Amino acid sequence: MELLSNQPRYDTVPEKYIFPPEKRPVNNVVNRSINLPVIDLRGGCIDSDIGRDEIIRDIMKAGKEFGFFQVINHGIPAKTLNDMLQVCENFFKMPAGEKERHYSDDMSKAFFLNSSTQYDQSETRYWRDYMRISCYPIEEFINQWPEKPENFRAVLSEYTVRVREIALKLLKLIAEGLELDKDYFCGDLSNGTKMEVNYYPPCPDPSLTMGLLPHCDRQLITVLAQGTAPCGLQAKYKEGWIDVKPIPNAFVVNFGHQLEIVTNGILKSVEHRAITNSTVARTSIATMTVPTMDCLIAPAKKLVTENNPPKYKEFIFRDFIEAYDVALANREGVLEFFKLY
Ligand code: OGA
Ligand code: NI
Protein backbone atom coordinates (compact mmCIF):
# COMPACT_ATOMS: atom_id res chain seq x y z
CA MET A 1 0.00 0.00 0.00
CA GLU A 2 1.29 3.40 -0.91
CA LEU A 3 -0.17 6.19 1.14
CA LEU A 4 1.54 9.57 1.12
CA SER A 5 0.48 10.03 4.72
CA ASN A 6 2.55 7.04 5.82
CA GLN A 7 5.75 8.96 5.33
CA PRO A 8 6.59 11.71 7.83
CA ARG A 9 7.94 14.09 5.17
CA TYR A 10 9.36 14.24 1.67
CA ASP A 11 12.60 15.96 0.70
CA THR A 12 12.07 15.56 -3.03
CA VAL A 13 9.10 14.78 -5.24
CA PRO A 14 9.21 11.14 -6.39
CA GLU A 15 9.18 10.83 -10.20
CA LYS A 16 5.71 9.33 -10.46
CA TYR A 17 4.12 12.46 -8.94
CA ILE A 18 5.72 14.88 -11.42
CA PHE A 19 3.20 16.09 -13.99
CA PRO A 20 4.17 16.98 -17.56
CA PRO A 21 4.66 20.75 -17.90
CA GLU A 22 1.28 21.50 -19.51
CA LYS A 23 -0.58 20.03 -16.54
CA ARG A 24 1.40 21.82 -13.86
CA PRO A 25 -0.27 24.62 -11.92
CA VAL A 26 2.23 27.29 -12.91
CA ASN A 27 1.52 26.96 -16.60
CA ASN A 28 -2.09 27.99 -16.19
CA VAL A 29 -3.20 31.56 -15.66
CA VAL A 30 -4.37 32.35 -12.15
CA ASN A 31 -6.33 35.56 -11.80
CA ARG A 32 -5.50 36.93 -8.36
CA SER A 33 -7.86 39.89 -8.44
CA ILE A 34 -11.14 37.98 -8.43
CA ASN A 35 -12.78 36.56 -5.34
CA LEU A 36 -15.74 34.25 -5.06
CA PRO A 37 -18.94 35.79 -3.70
CA VAL A 38 -19.46 35.25 0.02
CA ILE A 39 -23.08 34.75 1.04
CA ASP A 40 -24.28 35.35 4.60
CA LEU A 41 -26.91 32.74 5.46
CA ARG A 42 -27.98 34.70 8.55
CA GLY A 43 -27.58 31.86 10.98
CA GLY A 44 -29.05 29.26 8.69
CA CYS A 45 -32.66 30.06 9.65
CA ILE A 46 -33.54 30.45 6.02
CA ASP A 47 -36.99 29.01 6.50
CA SER A 48 -37.97 32.26 8.08
CA ASP A 49 -38.43 35.30 5.93
CA ILE A 50 -35.48 37.35 7.11
CA GLY A 51 -33.47 38.20 4.05
CA ARG A 52 -34.67 35.13 2.20
CA ASP A 53 -35.26 36.86 -1.13
CA GLU A 54 -31.87 38.51 -0.96
CA ILE A 55 -30.14 35.20 -0.22
CA ILE A 56 -31.92 33.57 -3.14
CA ARG A 57 -30.92 36.43 -5.41
CA ASP A 58 -27.27 36.21 -4.30
CA ILE A 59 -27.14 32.45 -4.76
CA MET A 60 -28.59 32.65 -8.25
CA LYS A 61 -26.24 35.45 -9.24
CA ALA A 62 -23.16 33.64 -7.90
CA GLY A 63 -24.40 30.35 -9.31
CA LYS A 64 -24.80 31.76 -12.80
CA GLU A 65 -21.56 33.71 -12.86
CA PHE A 66 -19.19 31.39 -10.97
CA GLY A 67 -20.99 28.11 -10.25
CA PHE A 68 -19.19 28.51 -6.92
CA PHE A 69 -19.64 30.60 -3.78
CA GLN A 70 -18.78 30.56 -0.10
CA VAL A 71 -21.29 30.62 2.74
CA ILE A 72 -20.75 32.11 6.18
CA ASN A 73 -23.01 32.35 9.21
CA HIS A 74 -24.55 29.06 8.07
CA GLY A 75 -25.58 27.85 11.52
CA ILE A 76 -23.11 24.95 11.84
CA PRO A 77 -21.20 25.46 15.08
CA ALA A 78 -17.45 26.01 14.66
CA LYS A 79 -16.93 23.13 17.08
CA THR A 80 -18.77 20.65 14.84
CA LEU A 81 -16.61 21.66 11.90
CA ASN A 82 -13.34 21.74 13.84
CA ASP A 83 -14.01 18.39 15.51
CA MET A 84 -14.58 16.88 12.09
CA LEU A 85 -11.40 18.37 10.62
CA GLN A 86 -9.47 17.19 13.66
CA VAL A 87 -10.77 13.63 13.61
CA CYS A 88 -10.00 13.39 9.88
CA GLU A 89 -6.46 14.69 10.43
CA ASN A 90 -6.08 12.16 13.24
CA PHE A 91 -7.20 9.43 10.89
CA PHE A 92 -4.45 10.16 8.38
CA LYS A 93 -1.90 10.40 11.20
CA MET A 94 -2.62 6.87 12.44
CA PRO A 95 0.10 4.25 11.98
CA ALA A 96 0.24 2.57 8.57
CA GLY A 97 -0.94 -0.74 10.01
CA GLU A 98 -4.10 0.84 11.40
CA LYS A 99 -4.97 2.42 8.05
CA GLU A 100 -4.10 -0.60 5.95
CA ARG A 101 -7.29 -2.51 6.72
CA HIS A 102 -9.34 0.25 5.07
CA TYR A 103 -7.33 0.40 1.87
CA SER A 104 -9.47 -0.34 -1.20
CA ASP A 105 -10.78 1.11 -4.44
CA ASP A 106 -14.09 -0.72 -4.31
CA MET A 107 -16.72 1.97 -4.90
CA SER A 108 -19.43 -0.28 -3.48
CA LYS A 109 -17.85 -0.10 -0.02
CA ALA A 110 -19.33 2.30 2.52
CA PHE A 111 -15.84 3.35 3.53
CA PHE A 112 -12.48 3.12 1.85
CA LEU A 113 -9.10 4.71 1.92
CA ASN A 114 -6.90 5.23 -1.11
CA SER A 115 -4.19 7.42 -2.54
CA SER A 116 -3.92 9.61 -5.62
CA THR A 117 -7.00 8.66 -7.69
CA GLN A 118 -9.08 5.67 -8.55
CA TYR A 119 -8.20 6.15 -12.21
CA ASP A 120 -5.35 4.61 -14.13
CA GLN A 121 -2.61 4.13 -11.57
CA SER A 122 0.00 4.06 -14.33
CA GLU A 123 -0.57 7.77 -14.92
CA THR A 124 1.05 10.52 -12.91
CA ARG A 125 -0.17 10.30 -9.36
CA TYR A 126 -2.02 13.04 -7.51
CA TRP A 127 -0.38 14.37 -4.37
CA ARG A 128 -3.19 13.28 -2.05
CA ASP A 129 -4.62 10.50 0.04
CA TYR A 130 -8.38 10.30 0.46
CA MET A 131 -11.19 8.51 2.16
CA ARG A 132 -14.52 8.01 0.46
CA ILE A 133 -17.46 7.58 2.80
CA SER A 134 -21.11 6.74 2.33
CA CYS A 135 -22.68 8.81 5.10
CA TYR A 136 -26.42 8.96 4.78
CA PRO A 137 -28.72 7.30 5.74
CA ILE A 138 -26.40 7.02 8.75
CA GLU A 139 -27.90 3.79 10.22
CA GLU A 140 -27.22 2.03 6.95
CA PHE A 141 -23.51 2.77 6.99
CA ILE A 142 -22.26 3.60 10.46
CA ASN A 143 -21.23 0.06 11.32
CA GLN A 144 -18.93 0.03 8.31
CA TRP A 145 -17.10 3.23 9.29
CA PRO A 146 -13.76 2.91 11.08
CA GLU A 147 -13.86 2.71 14.87
CA LYS A 148 -10.53 4.52 15.11
CA PRO A 149 -9.48 7.21 15.70
CA GLU A 150 -11.49 7.77 18.83
CA ASN A 151 -14.90 9.38 18.26
CA PHE A 152 -14.66 9.03 14.50
CA ARG A 153 -18.17 7.62 14.17
CA ALA A 154 -19.82 10.07 16.55
CA VAL A 155 -18.15 13.12 15.01
CA LEU A 156 -18.87 11.98 11.46
CA SER A 157 -22.55 11.34 12.30
CA GLU A 158 -23.00 14.80 13.76
CA TYR A 159 -21.20 16.49 10.89
CA THR A 160 -23.18 14.55 8.29
CA VAL A 161 -26.50 15.61 9.77
CA ARG A 162 -25.52 19.26 9.98
CA VAL A 163 -23.97 19.59 6.53
CA ARG A 164 -26.76 17.63 4.89
CA GLU A 165 -29.24 20.04 6.44
CA ILE A 166 -27.44 23.01 4.90
CA ALA A 167 -27.22 21.32 1.52
CA LEU A 168 -30.97 20.61 1.50
CA LYS A 169 -31.75 24.18 2.53
CA LEU A 170 -29.58 25.50 -0.28
CA LEU A 171 -31.35 23.19 -2.73
CA LYS A 172 -34.72 24.59 -1.61
CA LEU A 173 -33.50 28.14 -2.14
CA ILE A 174 -32.11 27.21 -5.54
CA ALA A 175 -35.40 25.56 -6.53
CA GLU A 176 -37.19 28.75 -5.52
CA GLY A 177 -34.69 30.87 -7.42
CA LEU A 178 -35.40 28.81 -10.52
CA GLU A 179 -39.14 29.12 -9.93
CA LEU A 180 -39.48 25.38 -9.53
CA ASP A 181 -41.52 23.73 -6.79
CA LYS A 182 -39.43 24.33 -3.65
CA ASP A 183 -39.22 20.57 -3.07
CA TYR A 184 -38.11 19.86 -6.63
CA PHE A 185 -34.72 18.51 -5.54
CA CYS A 186 -36.10 16.49 -2.61
CA GLY A 187 -36.54 12.74 -2.83
CA ASP A 188 -34.48 10.51 -5.13
CA LEU A 189 -32.39 13.39 -6.48
CA SER A 190 -30.92 14.12 -3.05
CA ASN A 191 -31.45 10.88 -1.19
CA GLY A 192 -27.89 10.24 -0.08
CA THR A 193 -24.79 11.94 1.25
CA LYS A 194 -21.25 10.93 0.43
CA MET A 195 -17.99 12.42 1.54
CA GLU A 196 -14.58 12.66 0.08
CA VAL A 197 -11.99 13.60 2.68
CA ASN A 198 -8.76 14.68 1.03
CA TYR A 199 -5.38 14.85 2.69
CA TYR A 200 -2.61 16.72 0.88
CA PRO A 201 0.72 16.43 2.71
CA PRO A 202 3.25 19.26 2.39
CA CYS A 203 4.96 18.91 -0.98
CA PRO A 204 8.62 19.83 -1.45
CA ASP A 205 7.90 21.35 -4.88
CA PRO A 206 4.26 22.37 -5.47
CA SER A 207 5.11 23.63 -8.96
CA LEU A 208 5.53 20.05 -10.20
CA THR A 209 2.52 18.37 -8.61
CA MET A 210 -1.26 18.51 -8.46
CA GLY A 211 -3.52 17.52 -5.60
CA LEU A 212 -6.45 17.01 -7.93
CA LEU A 213 -6.61 17.62 -11.67
CA PRO A 214 -9.47 19.72 -13.08
CA HIS A 215 -12.82 17.97 -12.67
CA CYS A 216 -16.48 18.61 -11.97
CA ASP A 217 -18.21 16.75 -9.17
CA ARG A 218 -20.44 13.84 -10.16
CA GLN A 219 -23.43 14.58 -7.98
CA LEU A 220 -25.97 17.30 -7.29
CA ILE A 221 -24.29 19.77 -4.95
CA THR A 222 -21.06 19.87 -2.90
CA VAL A 223 -20.49 21.63 0.41
CA LEU A 224 -16.76 21.73 1.07
CA ALA A 225 -14.78 22.53 4.20
CA GLN A 226 -11.34 23.74 3.20
CA GLY A 227 -9.58 23.43 6.52
CA THR A 228 -6.98 25.90 7.65
CA ALA A 229 -4.24 25.70 5.00
CA PRO A 230 -3.54 29.01 3.28
CA CYS A 231 -4.41 27.79 -0.23
CA GLY A 232 -5.37 24.77 -2.26
CA LEU A 233 -8.67 24.89 -4.11
CA GLN A 234 -8.92 26.73 -7.42
CA ALA A 235 -12.00 27.18 -9.60
CA LYS A 236 -12.12 27.74 -13.33
CA TYR A 237 -13.15 31.26 -14.22
CA LYS A 238 -13.32 32.37 -17.84
CA GLU A 239 -10.12 31.03 -19.41
CA GLY A 240 -8.08 30.89 -16.22
CA TRP A 241 -8.31 29.93 -12.57
CA ILE A 242 -9.10 31.74 -9.36
CA ASP A 243 -8.07 30.85 -5.82
CA VAL A 244 -10.87 29.91 -3.50
CA LYS A 245 -9.46 31.77 -0.53
CA PRO A 246 -10.07 29.98 2.75
CA ILE A 247 -12.34 31.84 5.16
CA PRO A 248 -12.35 30.45 8.72
CA ASN A 249 -15.48 28.36 9.39
CA ALA A 250 -16.97 29.02 5.95
CA PHE A 251 -18.08 26.40 3.46
CA VAL A 252 -17.47 26.43 -0.26
CA VAL A 253 -20.52 25.45 -2.31
CA ASN A 254 -20.39 24.24 -5.90
CA PHE A 255 -22.79 22.52 -8.24
CA GLY A 256 -22.30 18.98 -9.49
CA HIS A 257 -22.97 17.72 -13.01
CA GLN A 258 -26.52 16.64 -12.06
CA LEU A 259 -27.56 20.15 -11.07
CA GLU A 260 -26.30 21.52 -14.37
CA ILE A 261 -28.24 18.86 -16.26
CA VAL A 262 -31.48 19.22 -14.26
CA THR A 263 -31.38 23.00 -14.72
CA ASN A 264 -30.67 22.49 -18.41
CA GLY A 265 -27.46 24.46 -18.10
CA ILE A 266 -28.87 27.50 -16.26
CA LEU A 267 -26.56 26.66 -13.35
CA LYS A 268 -23.15 25.38 -14.32
CA SER A 269 -21.01 22.71 -12.82
CA VAL A 270 -17.63 24.39 -12.88
CA GLU A 271 -14.26 22.69 -13.09
CA HIS A 272 -12.00 22.94 -10.09
CA ARG A 273 -8.67 21.53 -9.03
CA ALA A 274 -6.40 21.39 -5.99
CA ILE A 275 -2.83 22.58 -5.88
CA THR A 276 -0.33 21.58 -3.21
CA ASN A 277 1.71 23.67 -0.81
CA SER A 278 5.12 23.20 0.78
CA THR A 279 4.39 24.26 4.33
CA VAL A 280 1.38 22.54 5.86
CA ALA A 281 -0.67 19.41 5.40
CA ARG A 282 -4.12 20.32 4.09
CA THR A 283 -7.26 18.40 4.90
CA SER A 284 -10.46 19.18 2.98
CA ILE A 285 -13.87 17.61 3.36
CA ALA A 286 -16.19 17.54 0.36
CA THR A 287 -19.75 16.56 1.27
CA MET A 288 -21.83 15.63 -1.74
CA THR A 289 -25.59 15.33 -1.92
CA VAL A 290 -26.23 12.42 -4.23
CA PRO A 291 -29.14 10.94 -6.18
CA THR A 292 -30.12 7.29 -5.79
CA MET A 293 -28.43 5.05 -8.36
CA ASP A 294 -31.79 4.42 -10.06
CA CYS A 295 -32.82 8.07 -10.11
CA LEU A 296 -34.01 9.35 -13.47
CA ILE A 297 -32.12 12.50 -14.39
CA ALA A 298 -33.40 14.94 -17.00
CA PRO A 299 -33.72 18.68 -17.54
CA ALA A 300 -36.68 19.97 -15.50
CA LYS A 301 -39.66 20.40 -17.83
CA LYS A 302 -40.34 23.89 -16.51
CA LEU A 303 -36.85 25.02 -17.48
CA VAL A 304 -37.07 23.74 -21.02
CA THR A 305 -38.49 26.32 -23.37
CA GLU A 306 -38.42 27.17 -27.04
CA ASN A 307 -35.45 29.43 -26.35
CA ASN A 308 -33.77 26.88 -24.13
CA PRO A 309 -34.49 23.48 -25.70
CA PRO A 310 -33.33 20.38 -23.78
CA LYS A 311 -29.55 20.09 -23.89
CA TYR A 312 -29.36 16.60 -22.34
CA LYS A 313 -31.13 13.28 -22.72
CA GLU A 314 -32.81 11.45 -19.90
CA PHE A 315 -30.70 8.87 -18.16
CA ILE A 316 -30.36 6.85 -15.00
CA PHE A 317 -27.81 8.19 -12.50
CA ARG A 318 -25.96 4.85 -12.47
CA ASP A 319 -25.19 5.29 -16.19
CA PHE A 320 -23.70 8.69 -15.50
CA ILE A 321 -21.37 7.28 -12.86
CA GLU A 322 -20.16 4.70 -15.34
CA ALA A 323 -19.60 7.30 -18.04
CA TYR A 324 -17.75 9.54 -15.56
CA ASP A 325 -15.25 6.78 -14.93
CA VAL A 326 -14.91 5.95 -18.63
CA ALA A 327 -14.20 9.64 -19.33
CA LEU A 328 -11.75 9.74 -16.38
CA ALA A 329 -13.70 12.62 -14.89
CA ASN A 330 -13.02 14.88 -17.87
CA ARG A 331 -15.88 17.41 -18.01
CA GLU A 332 -16.49 17.53 -21.74
CA GLY A 333 -15.73 13.83 -22.14
CA VAL A 334 -18.45 12.78 -19.75
CA LEU A 335 -21.04 15.27 -21.04
CA GLU A 336 -20.49 13.96 -24.56
CA PHE A 337 -22.43 10.82 -23.58
CA PHE A 338 -25.53 12.75 -22.55
CA LYS A 339 -25.59 15.89 -24.70
CA LEU A 340 -28.32 16.29 -27.31
CA TYR A 341 -26.40 18.79 -29.39
C1 OGA B 1 -13.22 17.06 -4.42
C2 OGA B 1 -12.57 18.37 -4.52
C3 OGA B 1 -11.15 20.06 -3.58
C4 OGA B 1 -10.28 20.34 -2.41
O1 OGA B 1 -12.95 16.33 -3.46
O2 OGA B 1 -14.04 16.74 -5.33
O3 OGA B 1 -12.78 19.03 -5.49
O4 OGA B 1 -10.11 21.50 -2.10
N1 OGA B 1 -11.76 18.78 -3.53
O5 OGA B 1 -9.76 19.40 -1.83
NI1 NI C 1 -14.41 18.26 -6.65
Side-chain angles (χ1 to χ4, degrees):
M1 167 173 61
E2 243 178 309
L3 287 176
L4 286 158
S5 57
N6 284 348
Q7 191 156 316
R9 56 169 283 133
Y10 292 82
D11 295 321
T12 55
V13 180
E15 190 77 37
K16 57 181 183 270
Y17 294 92
I18 300 179
F19 275 95
E22 71 280 4
K23 290 193 172 169
R24 292 179 196 167
V26 283
N27 290 337
N28 290 277
V29 183
V30 178
N31 188 331
R32 306 269 171 212
S33 64
I34 295 188
N35 286 317
L36 283 187
V38 178
I39 301 176
D40 183 340
L41 295 183
R42 295 165 172 80
C45 298
I46 34 194
D47 288 331
S48 67
D49 270 342
I50 318 155
R52 187 182 175 85
D53 291 345
E54 199 186 335
I55 295 173
I56 293 175
R57 198 194 59 211
D58 289 350
I59 291 176
M60 295 308 288
K61 187 163 179 277
K64 286 177 185 168
E65 187 179 357
F66 293 93
F68 258 88
F69 51 91
Q70 306 212 48
V71 294
I72 54 168
N73 205 0
H74 40 62
I76 299 185
K79 181 171 182 338
T80 304
L81 172 57
N82 291 332
D83 285 355
M84 179 65 185
L85 284 163
Q86 190 61 58
V87 87
C88 291
E89 274 168 37
N90 292 347
F91 181 91
F92 287 106
K93 277 190 210 149
M94 288 196 300
E98 195 58 59
K99 284 182 280 187
E100 200 159 22
R101 70 184 73 182
H102 303 296
Y103 193 73
S104 172
D105 60 2
D106 180 353
M107 291 287 276
S108 70
K109 287 196 158 185
F111 181 96
F112 69 81
L113 172 67
N114 209 315
S115 191
S116 181
T117 161
Q118 79 201 73
Y119 304 120
D120 190 354
Q121 299 283 321
S122 67
E123 288 186 1
T124 312
R125 295 174 65 81
Y126 298 177
W127 192 263
R128 71 152 188 169
D129 292 343
Y130 68 100
M131 35 178 148
R132 173 96 36 96
I133 318 170
S134 298
C135 298
Y136 192 90
I138 293 173
E139 329 72 75
E140 198 178 320
F141 301 118
I142 189 165
N143 291 327
Q144 299 162 70
W145 297 347
E147 288 180 278
K148 285 185 186 169
E150 205 183 335
N151 289 334
F152 186 83
R153 288 182 177 178
V155 171
L156 178 53
S157 300
E158 164 76 9
Y159 184 79
T160 298
V161 169
R162 301 303 297 253
V163 177
R164 181 172 166 83
E165 206 172 66
I166 292 288
L168 296 184
K169 279 182 184 169
L170 288 168
L171 286 169
K172 282 205 166 128
L173 296 172
I174 291 167
E176 237 178 281
L178 292 161
E179 293 177 24
L180 294 170
D181 182 305
K182 75 173 180 353
D183 292 330
Y184 192 87
F185 297 110
C186 297
D188 281 1
L189 271 172
S190 58
N191 200 51
T193 298
K194 285 189 192 287
M195 259 177 228
E196 190 155 294
V197 181
N198 304 294
Y199 177 82
Y200 309 95
C203 175
D205 189 347
S207 73
L208 304 176
T209 57
M210 288 302 288
L212 271 173
L213 281 182
H215 69 281
C216 294
D217 296 341
R218 303 166 172 79
Q219 300 92 350
L220 198 60
I221 192 165
T222 302
V223 178
L224 177 116
Q226 279 225 70
T228 49
C231 67
L233 177 60
Q234 295 183 329
K236 191 103 184 241
Y237 183 70
K238 303 205 165 134
E239 295 315 305
W241 296 89
I242 55 175
D243 288 313
V244 180
K245 297 198 182 92
I247 301 173
N249 299 322
F251 288 99
V252 181
V253 179
N254 66 288
F255 306 141
H257 277 296
Q258 308 317 310
L259 199 67
E260 173 164 348
I261 292 167
V262 172
T263 65
N264 203 32
I266 294 175
L267 297 176
K268 291 267 182 311
S269 181
V270 166
E271 280 181 294
H272 50 286
R273 63 183 194 177
I275 57 168
T276 63
N277 81 81
S278 60
T279 51
V280 289
R282 174 170 180 264
T283 305
S284 69
I285 306 164
T287 305
M288 286 103 169
T289 303
V290 310
T292 56
M293 278 298 181
D294 297 322
C295 183
L296 183 71
I297 312 276
K301 297 222 162 35
K302 229 180 143 181
L303 302 179
V304 170
T305 58
E306 221 168 287
N307 291 335
N308 190 12
K311 293 189 172 76
Y312 306 99
K313 1 176 179 185
E314 281 187 3
F315 57 88
I316 303 293
F317 184 56
R318 184 188 319 273
D319 295 339
F320 189 93
I321 292 300
E322 258 171 45
Y324 190 92
D325 288 344
V326 169
L328 305 178
N330 174 276
R331 178 185 152 85
E332 298 313 320
V334 64
L335 289 178
E336 209 45 59
F337 289 101
F338 303 101
K339 264 193 332 208
L340 282 172
Y341 56 90

XYZ file of all heavy atoms in Angstrom, residues 4 8 37 48 50 68 100 115 136 138 151 163 208 222 232-233 275 285 298 304:
152
model
N 0.609 8.464 0.865
C 1.539 9.568 1.118
C 1.644 9.852 2.606
O 2.706 10.190 3.121
C 1.048 10.816 0.395
C 1.223 10.839 -1.122
C 0.261 11.830 -1.748
C 2.659 11.179 -1.494
N 6.633 10.467 7.052
C 6.593 11.711 7.828
C 6.809 12.963 6.982
O 6.103 13.950 7.144
C 7.715 11.549 8.852
C 8.362 10.228 8.611
C 7.630 9.512 7.521
N -17.956 35.141 -4.573
C -18.938 35.792 -3.699
C -19.057 35.050 -2.368
O -18.916 33.828 -2.324
C -20.253 35.656 -4.478
C -19.860 35.308 -5.877
C -18.535 34.650 -5.828
N -37.234 31.054 7.741
C -37.969 32.265 8.082
C -37.747 33.278 6.961
O -36.949 33.056 6.066
C -37.450 32.830 9.407
O -36.138 33.273 9.231
N -36.500 36.316 6.991
C -35.475 37.349 7.108
C -34.434 37.224 5.992
O -33.640 36.283 5.963
C -34.731 37.266 8.462
C -35.720 37.009 9.585
C -33.904 38.521 8.710
C -35.097 36.344 10.787
N -19.915 28.696 -8.174
C -19.194 28.507 -6.918
C -19.475 29.707 -6.015
O -19.552 30.835 -6.502
C -17.677 28.562 -7.169
C -16.978 27.242 -7.199
C -16.876 26.525 -8.375
C -16.377 26.713 -6.061
C -16.199 25.325 -8.427
C -15.704 25.495 -6.103
C -15.612 24.803 -7.292
N -4.189 0.396 7.013
C -4.102 -0.605 5.951
C -5.404 -1.369 5.727
O -5.801 -1.623 4.592
C -3.002 -1.607 6.322
C -2.482 -2.386 5.164
C -1.086 -2.936 5.503
O -0.761 -3.066 6.704
O -0.346 -3.211 4.568
N -5.133 6.345 -2.294
C -4.188 7.417 -2.538
C -4.286 7.833 -3.996
O -4.661 7.012 -4.841
C -2.772 6.942 -2.233
O -1.890 8.050 -2.238
N -25.003 8.840 4.477
C -26.418 8.957 4.783
C -27.213 8.050 3.864
O -26.895 8.000 2.682
C -26.852 10.423 4.589
C -28.208 10.736 5.136
C -28.385 11.167 6.443
C -29.343 10.577 4.331
C -29.642 11.448 6.940
C -30.605 10.851 4.817
C -30.753 11.284 6.119
O -32.000 11.557 6.605
N -27.464 7.383 7.821
C -26.401 7.016 8.751
C -26.516 5.568 9.242
O -25.542 4.812 9.224
C -26.375 7.997 9.948
C -25.952 9.389 9.450
C -25.407 7.532 11.039
C -26.051 10.486 10.476
N -13.781 8.478 18.583
C -14.902 9.378 18.263
C -15.169 9.555 16.780
O -16.005 10.372 16.404
C -14.685 10.789 18.856
C -14.822 10.776 20.354
O -15.506 9.912 20.890
N -14.148 11.701 21.016
N -24.305 19.120 7.879
C -23.966 19.591 6.532
C -25.069 19.204 5.540
O -25.411 19.965 4.636
C -22.594 19.059 6.076
C -22.282 19.499 4.666
C -21.510 19.584 7.009
N 5.461 21.246 -9.356
C 5.526 20.052 -10.196
C 4.320 19.127 -10.043
O 4.105 18.223 -10.846
C 6.772 19.216 -9.830
C 8.119 19.914 -9.885
C 9.220 18.970 -9.396
C 8.406 20.360 -11.319
N -22.155 20.163 -3.823
C -21.059 19.866 -2.901
C -20.909 21.002 -1.897
O -20.951 22.178 -2.281
C -19.729 19.737 -3.687
O -19.883 18.707 -4.673
C -18.563 19.365 -2.777
N -5.196 26.145 -1.764
C -5.372 24.771 -2.255
C -6.371 24.683 -3.386
O -6.033 24.360 -4.521
N -7.625 25.056 -3.093
C -8.673 24.893 -4.106
C -8.656 26.048 -5.104
O -8.538 27.212 -4.715
C -10.028 24.809 -3.396
C -11.273 24.698 -4.265
C -11.247 23.453 -5.150
C -12.528 24.690 -3.389
N -4.280 22.500 -5.798
C -2.827 22.581 -5.878
C -2.247 22.218 -4.506
O -2.967 22.165 -3.514
C -2.353 23.989 -6.325
C -2.878 25.069 -5.377
C -2.813 24.287 -7.743
C -2.222 26.419 -5.567
N -12.754 18.551 3.257
C -13.869 17.609 3.360
C -14.961 18.027 2.388
O -15.604 19.068 2.565
C -14.446 17.593 4.792
C -13.327 17.314 5.805
C -15.560 16.560 4.909
C -13.714 17.659 7.239
N -33.044 14.277 -15.740
C -33.398 14.941 -17.001
C -33.577 16.426 -16.720
O -33.854 16.808 -15.584
C -34.701 14.363 -17.541
N -37.291 23.971 -19.602
C -37.065 23.739 -21.019
C -38.086 24.571 -21.787
O -39.283 24.459 -21.554
C -37.253 22.236 -21.330
C -37.264 21.997 -22.819
C -36.162 21.424 -20.659
